[in-house]
Amino acid sequence: MDPQVLAPDMVRELIENIEIGEKEMVDGKQTQKIRITYSFAGELTTADFQTL
């Protein structure tokens, strides 16, 4: 199976929890911490990704 679009029921199975932090100003830029806990892969946070 190679889905091109994640259907809502697929997302509900893959993601266990999403936490969104308060907005903050850091070095003149607005930032916000996001923590996603996946059902089968554990937790990823915004620290795991490069700043866009």
Side-chain angles (χ1 to χ4, degrees):
M1 179 164 62
D2 185 23
Q4 298 298 313
V5 177
L6 285 175
D9 58 329
M10 294 168 74
V11 173
R12 282 190 286 275
E13 284 188 39
L14 293 172
I15 297 175
E16 186 175 311
N17 188 39
I18 300 174
E19 294 178 32
I20 301 178
E22 296 292 324
K23 292 181 183 176
E24 301 177 87
M25 291 297 288
V26 176
D27 297 328
K29 295 182 180 180
Q30 187 172 328
T31 64
Q32 195 167 15
K33 294 183 181 179
I34 300 171
R35 183 186 333 206
I36 302 172
T37 305
Y38 291 90
S39 299
F40 304 103
E43 179 181 294
L44 294 177
T45 65
T46 49
D48 297 318
F49 300 98
Q50 291 183 1
T51 303
L52 299 177

